[in-house]
Amino acid sequence: MKNPTLNSALVIAEIGTSHGGSLEKAEKLIDAAVDAGADAVKFQWVYADEILHPDTGFVDLPGGKVRLYDRFKALETDESFFRHCLDYARSKNAKFICSPFGLKSLEKLLKICPDYIKIASPELNHFPLLKATAKNRGDIPVIVSTGVSRLEDIEEALGILGTDKVTLLHCITCYPAPEEEYNLRLVKTLSQKFSVDCGISDHSLDPVLVPCLAVSQGAKIIEKHITLSRETDGLDDPVALTPEQFALMCHTVHQSQAVLRHYGSQKGEAEIIRQMEETAGKQRVERILGTGIKTLAPSEKENYGRTNRSLHFLQDMKAGQIITENSVAVLRTEKILTPGISPRFLEAVQGKTLVRDVKAGEGVLFEDFENFEQAIKNN
């Protein structure tokens, strides 16, 4: 199997759920990714109940408006599906990477021993998942995406996972993500601050700009979605690269890596930037490179607290009822529901008595319990 070396990056083809539950299509996507030059393929192990509440809202797809929960429910597959995909990917000399979204999918993923575990951006604050990953991953490396996050969110996640065999991916959680918001100098900032390798998870539509400029900043991983067609109904297909575009990306990324090997890191960085300026313009390239200061991208700001995790009620409850482990869950808020308090308070709310009636799906709030916020602050 290929391994990234000095001035080299692991190229990941994010298949996600684009297979639609079809093994035949999954194999075609793996074939397309490998033929295009990917070093690894990445899947998502979906159980709808681990991700969101049924009443979270709707999503517009080529076939029409669909309840988002139902879309995730339709993407559920069994362990044999992922085991087959893992074996097939390795038969093609590609690494197999997969994202779990909760404790159930993590447990099943660990059974098949992936080459990497990927923590997606919305799960950066899924503290039960992070703790279980840290405890049970053994020697399996972990890749952590950092979209729609603040610096303190990354710091808290790494405080749980540790930094051994952990790679960060700078990311913008927006579909598609504007190239000029990517602030790619963050690759160096995050790597230096946390003493880990850093790469990029790119949701922009251009197959060249962000990946190549990320290589100039020392990215050790380049991840981008792949699809057989942008016209199909996969959740991420509209922002994914076709096989031809993915091959172009791999080619230009490898060229950029060759520049770094030839010139060395400093001169190589300047040369890659110069080449990108010839096609995209100096001002645009400078905006894409950004300041290197970690902030929420403009396109992410309104989603902070919605695409990442918070506590939500699982059923209607009345004032006076006591919270049990089956009353609340760590979920994404997504479309129409109200965000709740941080998942760090999951254990603290157990046994608490409600002071008001609540509806299923609502975010759990401090004011749902008497003197709860003050008690937390005092502790």
Side-chain angles (χ1 to χ4, degrees), residues 313 315 317 320-328 346 348-354 358 364 368-369:
F313 291 105
Q315 62 261 332
M317 299 183 71
Q321 285 189 265
I322 296 174
I323 300 297
T324 69
E325 62 180 13
N326 298 318
S327 302
V328 298
L346 178 62
V349 301
Q350 307 295 327
K352 292 291 184 291
T353 302
L354 284 168
V358 296
V364 178
D368 295 331
F369 314 100

Side-chain angles (χ1 to χ4, degrees), residues 285-317:
V285 167
E286 182 59 28
R287 287 194 293 269
I288 296 169
L289 289 170
T291 64
I293 299 170
K294 176 59 176 169
T295 59
L296 289 170
S299 58
E300 293 182 313
K301 286 181 179 179
E302 67 178 25
N303 286 326
Y304 187 75
R306 301 194 69 83
T307 58
N308 39 13
R309 299 289 182 131
S310 63
L311 297 186
H312 287 261
F313 291 105
L314 292 178
Q315 62 261 332
D316 294 348
M317 299 183 71

Side-chain angles (χ1 to χ4, degrees), residues 16 29 35 53 66 91 96 128 143 147 178 207 216 238 270 275 279 290 335 367 375:
L29 283 159
D35 290 345
H53 189 273
V66 178
S91 77
F96 178 86
I143 301 169
S216 82
Q275 292 177 8
T279 56
K335 303 297 180 182
E367 50 263 40

Side-chain angles (χ1 to χ4, degrees), residues 104-354:
K104 178 182 176 181
S105 51
L106 174 65
E107 181 182 5
K108 290 182 177 292
L109 176 59
L110 289 171
K111 287 181 181 179
I112 68 172
C113 297
D115 294 299
Y116 294 81
I117 297 167
K118 167 72 183 297
I119 303 297
S121 294
E123 283 63 63
L124 187 67
N125 72 334
H126 191 325
F127 300 123
L129 176 63
L130 299 180
K131 290 174 182 177
T133 300
K135 180 180 179 181
N136 300 309
R137 71 179 173 112
D139 291 328
I140 301 174
V142 177
I143 301 169
V144 182
S145 268
T146 61
V148 72
S149 72
R150 303 182 188 275
L151 200 59
E152 55 266 30
D153 299 320
I154 303 171
E155 194 165 18
E156 190 165 14
L158 291 181
I160 296 170
L161 287 169
T163 56
D164 183 43
K165 293 186 176 180
V166 172
T167 303
L168 293 177
L169 294 189
H170 171 47
C171 174
I172 294 180
T173 304
C174 181
Y175 304 88
E179 289 89 1
E180 295 179 18
E181 292 185 12
Y182 247 95
N183 192 10
L184 288 174
R185 290 190 173 101
L186 265 174
V187 171
K188 287 184 180 179
T189 299
L190 295 176
S191 181
Q192 292 168 1
K193 178 172 180 59
F194 296 112
S195 299
V196 296
D197 284 342
C198 186
I200 194 83
S201 178
D202 180 19
H203 297 136
S204 69
L205 295 178
D206 192 290
V208 173
L209 269 174
V210 170
C212 289
L213 287 171
V215 170
S216 82
Q217 300 304 300
K220 294 300 181 185
I221 291 177
I222 305 294
E223 178 188 81
K224 211 159 172 61
H225 282 272
I226 191 170
T227 181
L228 299 178
S229 169
R230 280 184 171 172
E231 304 306 315
T232 47
D233 65 352
L235 286 171
D236 299 310
D237 287 349
V239 300
L241 299 185
T242 63
E244 295 77 15
Q245 290 174 316
F246 203 95
L248 172 62
M249 183 197 76
C250 289
H251 175 69
T252 54
V253 162
H254 293 153
Q255 284 185 319
S256 297
Q257 292 166 354
V259 168
L260 286 181
R261 286 192 292 271
H262 178 75
Y263 288 100
S265 58
Q266 283 190 323
K267 289 184 178 179
E269 175 185 346
E271 177 61 18
I272 294 169
I273 291 172
R274 185 194 67 78
Q275 292 177 8
M276 292 297 103
E277 287 174 347
E278 285 185 353
T279 56
K282 188 171 184 177
Q283 289 185 338
R284 187 172 186 219
V285 167
E286 182 59 28
R287 287 194 293 269
I288 296 169
L289 289 170
T291 64
I293 299 170
K294 176 59 176 169
T295 59
L296 289 170
S299 58
E300 293 182 313
K301 286 181 179 179
E302 67 178 25
N303 286 326
Y304 187 75
R306 301 194 69 83
T307 58
N308 39 13
R309 299 289 182 131
S310 63
L311 297 186
H312 287 261
F313 291 105
L314 292 178
Q315 62 261 332
D316 294 348
M317 299 183 71
K318 298 289 187 182
Q321 285 189 265
I322 296 174
I323 300 297
T324 69
E325 62 180 13
N326 298 318
S327 302
V328 298
V330 178
L331 301 173
R332 300 182 190 178
T333 301
E334 289 288 354
K335 303 297 180 182
I336 62 173
L337 297 175
T338 55
I341 58 177
S342 168
R344 70 170 56 88
F345 302 118
L346 178 62
E347 294 182 3
V349 301
Q350 307 295 327
K352 292 291 184 291
T353 302
L354 284 168

Side-chain angles (χ1 to χ4, degrees), residues 13-16 18-19 22-43 81-97 226-228 243 246:
E14 164 71 282
I15 291 172
S18 187
H19 51 77
S22 164
L23 274 176
E24 180 182 4
K25 189 173 183 181
E27 289 183 358
K28 288 181 179 179
L29 283 159
I30 293 170
D31 288 340
V34 172
D35 290 345
D39 303 303
V41 293
K42 183 181 139 341
F43 286 77
F81 177 91
F82 292 102
R83 189 177 293 279
H84 178 89
C85 292
L86 178 147
D87 290 339
Y88 191 78
R90 289 178 176 171
S91 77
K92 299 290 182 177
N93 200 32
K95 295 181 182 296
F96 178 86
I97 304 170
I226 191 170
T227 181
L228 299 178
F246 203 95

